[in-house]
Amino acid sequence: MKRLVLATATAVSALSATSAFAEPLKIGIIESLSGAQTSTGRLYANAVKYGVDRINAAGGFNGEPVVVTEYDNAGGAPEAADKFRKAVADGVDVIFQGASSAIAGQLTEDVRKHNIRNPGKEVIFINLGADAMELTGAKCQFYHFRYTATAPMRVNALVSAMKEAGDLGKNVYSINQNYSWGQDMQAAVAAAAEGGGYKVVGEVLHDVNKIQDFAPFVARIRAASADTVFTGNWSNDLLLLMKAAGDAGLDVTFATAFLDQPGNIANAGKTALGHYIANNYDNAATDGKFAEAFKTATGHYPIFVEGHSAFALGALQQALGTVNFNGGEIDVTKIALALENTTYETPLGPISVRKEDHQTIRPVVVSKVVEKPKYPADDTDMGFQTVKVIAGDAAIYPVQESCKMERPKQ
């Protein structure tokens, strides 16, 4: 049995008298909590803690409060590997991570190898934001669950909504960062061309967060007579690209994946108006009840990755409600089996897990930037207005042939 963890008197009093002898479920957040991705990593951690607080308020699990420990990977895969080893030594049952597909690729392989070597002491990896296709393709494995949309899901949603709104155009330019995520976006834009009725008039893959002047790229976009620019860029690569387009007076519509990253709207200013984003969640697409509950608990409305990450914890809570270890040793495999059989109802629609690759089948929200929205962004008078919510069964794509998932023996 793993070592016991002391809980506060309040938490203990809410649980059964036998909780002192029970084994707690331990969650580890292996996230970028220092370095360039700190702001995003902290949002993932906020959402996990929000979800765990709800589980504990409802009585915890297995007779104990769920225990959460943060591990700072400092934005690097080697550091994440080190922190995974520390988490395993601490007896963590479930790890959460979202900022960076490179880190997720390291963690999913670490989890796979650990679980092979330690039958009966498995660890689950719940991926909140790493979108690289290979994670549910060549690297798919039973103990990895992805609770975020991928490039094809986002691109297909954008194409559907923008075409319906008359904002797609006939000429599309694709510009993305040159790593797995950007390459996936470029491939998805090309794959959607026939169905979207557009021509890809240019493609660029560039270095990640190293370009200081996007004016030459904007000149190429102008020369290609593009109507729409699809980009999976994030951070400065998105902001500087949009600013360069605005400074050049380039009349195009941006179709993005991360325009709602904190600071982007404030920094882009009026340049952001009219541009699109496809994402897992948008406050404006809901009845507002979840947004208000989140604000009551945390002091702010859910932003960027917090909403959909909180839903992943809701799915976990629902799954935990279907297994009972009677206070004894926790069987992680049984929790994983319960999770892949869970359909969680969110304010946007149901989220389920596809058993063949553990990609979530989930709604995708397409929004555009407007003035005077219901939920302003970055303390400005601008924010997102929902254009269309694509249901999960319409957003999903076939299982990749490269996924050869081995299931545990039962």
Side-chain angles (χ1 to χ4, degrees), residues 19 158 244 264 297 326:
S19 65
L158 283 164
N264 279 353
N326 296 309

Side-chain angles (χ1 to χ4, degrees), residues 215-303:
F217 295 96
V218 169
R220 292 163 67 177
I221 295 170
R222 186 193 297 278
S225 300
D227 303 307
T228 302
V229 176
F230 275 80
T231 181
N233 283 13
W234 44 267
S235 192
N236 277 348
D237 282 344
L238 175 60
L239 179 62
L240 293 177
L241 172 61
M242 291 182 63
K243 278 198 163 187
D247 291 344
L250 184 64
D251 184 18
V252 296
T253 301
F254 279 90
T256 76
F258 300 116
L259 188 52
D260 62 341
Q261 189 172 8
N264 279 353
I265 297 299
N267 289 328
K270 300 301 180 182
T271 298
L273 288 172
H275 297 312
Y276 281 75
I277 178 175
N279 205 351
N280 297 287
Y281 176 78
D282 179 359
N283 289 316
T286 73
D287 60 11
K289 292 180 181 178
F290 164 71
E292 294 297 339
F294 192 94
K295 183 179 181 181
T296 298
T298 67
H300 66 274
Y301 289 121
I303 58 173

